[in-house]
Amino acid sequence: MEKLAIDGGFPVRSGKIYYGRQWIDEQDIQAVSDVLRSDFITCGPKVDEFERTLAEYTGAKYAVAVANGTAALHIACLAAGVGPGDEVITTPLTFAASANCALYCGAKPVFADIDPLTYNIDPESIRAHITERTKAVVAVDFTGACVKNDEIRAICDEYNLVFIEDAAHAIGSAYKGKMVGSLADITCFSFHPVKTVTGGEGGAVTTNNKEYYDKLVLFHTHGITHDEAQMEDAPHEGVWYYEQIELGYNYRLTDFQAALITSQMSKLPRFKARRQEIVKAYDEAFADVPEILLERDIPESDSCRHLYIIRLDLDKLKCTRREFFDAMSAENVQCQVHYVPVYWFPYYQKLGYEKGLCPVAEKVYEGIMSIPLYPRMTDEDVHDVIHAVKKVVENYRKG
Ligand SMILES: *Cc1c(COP(=O)(O)O)cnc(C)c1O
């Protein structure tokens, strides 16, 4: 057995590898510098082009570019009519923004539990948490694996709820052959550097519904309209005239970010293919490691995975998750944990949420960690990660 680096042995590799990393090439840099040399650095042609590109790629009728994924979720909730006194059902195994967006609107996030195999929100648990005050469901395609769209759609139709899909992880994924972005009432994307496609920061919202689209456009730019048809006091006083008809925000994306995202999107098919290749290599390598449990996709999902999660079966190991994680770090494979259940955070605890609300999510959380997954990884990187996982498992295996 190889001696662990944390116990003084040699690490599996000399340079650190991290769980996620952007891939910016010369074409991306050129696209950004072209904008910086042009007349418009914000709200120009590149934002329009990106919105068209995203709508075409996802098959959605409309797309609105915004400053980040959190802004996307906020205006999605506003467009859905979420307000004070309402409840919004989401998953606890997500980034905090999936729940914070309800709080921004004065509404209450309600946490439904997850499926123990897919780690995605369990439609039956959504159903169990519906009250008269429920207004929307924010379903997260965790790691890029599609949620049970048909089941969630049926529940939302039955109870007249707005189906918001938090697809921050899932650009490039498809459900029953339809791209994520065209499925829910409103879909939100993020272009943070760890996500599959990046703009530094950036986000977008897609929808097939004109009414939602008009609201999304309004909310992302101060609630101000230049469209006479939307104005109360038209005919207006002159070409300068506009009206503020809602309380909106400045959630606009710059043109240089839009150019970067559009340039990145041209590489999305390649990014997806490489991510899928790495996922397959990991799946095969860990299939016969009983201490490692793997996330399962539903058969309907063609997943463009943003994260690869291993779940430790801690009953079969002599170490804690923390010790496993630290041993991986010493091997120079820097993992991460996605995510601490949202309602465990002090802010949520102060709001009155208690631990134990979603036992499945809490149980899954105990054993999970994300290992490196990004398209620029070489075959050798992938090999190193597999080597490190197996080495650490062997050293901590019980019996
Ligand atoms: C990253 C992320 C967000 C927020 O996106 P930002 O662009 O960072 O604001 C929302 N939800 C999930 C699930 C995310 O991973």
Side-chain angles (χ1 to χ4, degrees):
M1 188 157 48
E2 290 176 280
K3 190 172 182 184
L4 291 177
I6 203 165
D7 297 331
F10 289 105
V12 299
R13 54 184 285 133
S14 53
K16 268 255 192 254
I17 184 170
Y18 294 89
Y19 83 92
R21 202 183 161 182
Q22 74 274 17
W23 188 351
I24 302 291
D25 66 12
E26 284 308 313
Q27 183 196 0
D28 297 329
I29 293 167
Q30 190 61 46
V32 173
S33 55
D34 287 350
V35 174
L36 293 176
R37 285 182 235 281
S38 76
D39 290 338
F40 296 96
I41 58 171
T42 195
C43 292
K46 289 297 169 187
V47 166
D48 295 340
E49 184 189 342
F50 163 54
E51 289 174 343
R52 281 196 306 275
T53 303
L54 185 66
E56 205 168 291
Y57 180 79
T58 57
K61 277 206 186 114
Y62 310 100
V64 183
V66 294
N68 53 63
T70 306
L73 285 161
H74 185 192
I75 63 170
C77 285
L78 290 171
V82 172
D86 291 335
E87 292 175 359
V88 175
I89 298 176
T90 191
T91 167
L93 202 65
T94 185
F95 183 60
S98 313
N100 290 345
C101 58
L103 293 176
Y104 295 156
C105 300
K108 180 182 168 197
V110 172
F111 296 96
D113 213 341
I114 61 168
D115 179 295
L117 298 178
T118 66
Y119 313 156
N120 265 326
I121 196 164
D122 175 359
E124 282 318 304
S125 186
I126 295 178
R127 198 181 275 283
H129 284 87
I130 291 171
T131 72
E132 280 125 52
R133 292 181 295 276
T134 310
K135 186 85 189 182
V137 173
V138 174
V140 180
D141 301 305
F142 184 61
T143 75
C146 292
V147 290
K148 290 185 168 170
N149 269 273
D150 285 350
E151 287 83 345
I152 297 172
R153 170 89 276 156
I155 292 168
C156 288
D157 288 349
E158 185 180 339
Y159 293 94
N160 197 22
L161 312 177
V162 183
F163 178 8
I164 298 171
E165 193 162 354
D166 178 347
H169 297 183
I171 193 158
S173 296
Y175 176 87
K176 286 188 175 173
K178 285 182 77 182
M179 297 308 292
V180 166
S182 62
L183 299 152
D185 292 314
I186 305 175
T187 305
C188 301
F189 294 99
S190 163
F191 304 108
H192 182 277
V194 299
K195 310 292 161 79
T196 295
V197 162
T198 189
E201 297 280 352
V205 193
T206 58
T207 182
N208 290 321
N209 180 310
K210 177 76 163 63
E211 258 174 66
Y212 291 143
Y213 173 67
D214 288 341
K215 288 188 180 158
L216 293 164
V217 170
L218 271 177
F219 284 120
H220 99 297
T221 180
H222 307 286
I224 283 174
T225 183
H226 294 265
D227 177 1
E228 240 182 89
Q230 291 184 332
M231 290 185 192
E232 293 184 12
D233 294 335
H236 58 68
E237 304 183 32
V239 288
W240 68 86
Y241 189 75
Y242 56 80
E243 282 183 359
Q244 185 192 336
I245 58 175
E246 291 281 2
L247 183 60
Y249 300 82
N250 177 358
Y251 281 164
R252 293 186 301 261
L253 187 71
T254 66
D255 254 40
F256 47 94
Q257 289 172 296
L260 177 53
I261 301 168
T262 306
S263 174
Q264 286 258 300
M265 291 227 10
S266 70
K267 285 162 280 213
L268 183 48
R270 189 148 55 78
F271 288 172
K272 176 175 175 176
R274 180 62 181 153
R275 282 178 178 273
Q276 290 188 326
E277 228 168 58
I278 298 168
V279 167
K280 188 157 172 276
Y282 284 159
D283 281 347
E284 286 171 6
F286 304 136
D288 58 355
V289 182
E291 293 82 1
I292 304 277
L293 305 169
L294 299 181
E295 178 187 352
R296 295 240 203 100
D297 270 355
I298 53 171
E300 295 86 349
S301 180
D302 168 25
S303 310
C304 177
R305 288 276 187 89
H306 151 61
L307 297 173
Y308 192 95
I309 290 185
I310 58 170
R311 181 176 171 208
L312 307 178
D313 188 341
L314 292 165
D315 294 337
K316 296 196 172 87
L317 293 162
K318 306 185 276 209
C319 64
T320 61
R321 187 242 316 254
R322 170 74 193 271
E323 284 161 344
F324 195 103
F325 186 98
D326 292 346
M328 290 291 288
S329 285
E331 300 300 332
N332 281 325
V333 176
Q334 192 56 53
C335 300
Q336 182 52 281
V337 173
H338 299 92
Y339 293 93
V340 178
V342 174
Y343 59 79
W344 281 20
F345 291 130
Y347 187 83
Y348 278 82
Q349 294 285 300
K350 278 178 215 145
L351 290 177
Y353 293 84
E354 281 172 19
K355 292 194 178 177
L357 273 182
C358 298
V360 180
E362 294 185 18
K363 183 80 191 145
V364 167
Y365 164 70
E366 280 176 12
I368 53 175
M369 77 184 68
S370 307
I371 63 175
L373 175 63
Y374 53 90
R376 207 175 186 176
M377 287 177 79
T378 62
D379 289 345
E380 203 183 331
D381 291 333
V382 175
H383 179 262
D384 288 346
V385 174
I386 292 171
H387 181 176
V389 171
K390 291 195 167 180
K391 181 179 169 185
V392 176
V393 168
E394 266 175 32
N395 273 272
Y396 289 134
R397 181 168 276 154
K398 264 189 191 163

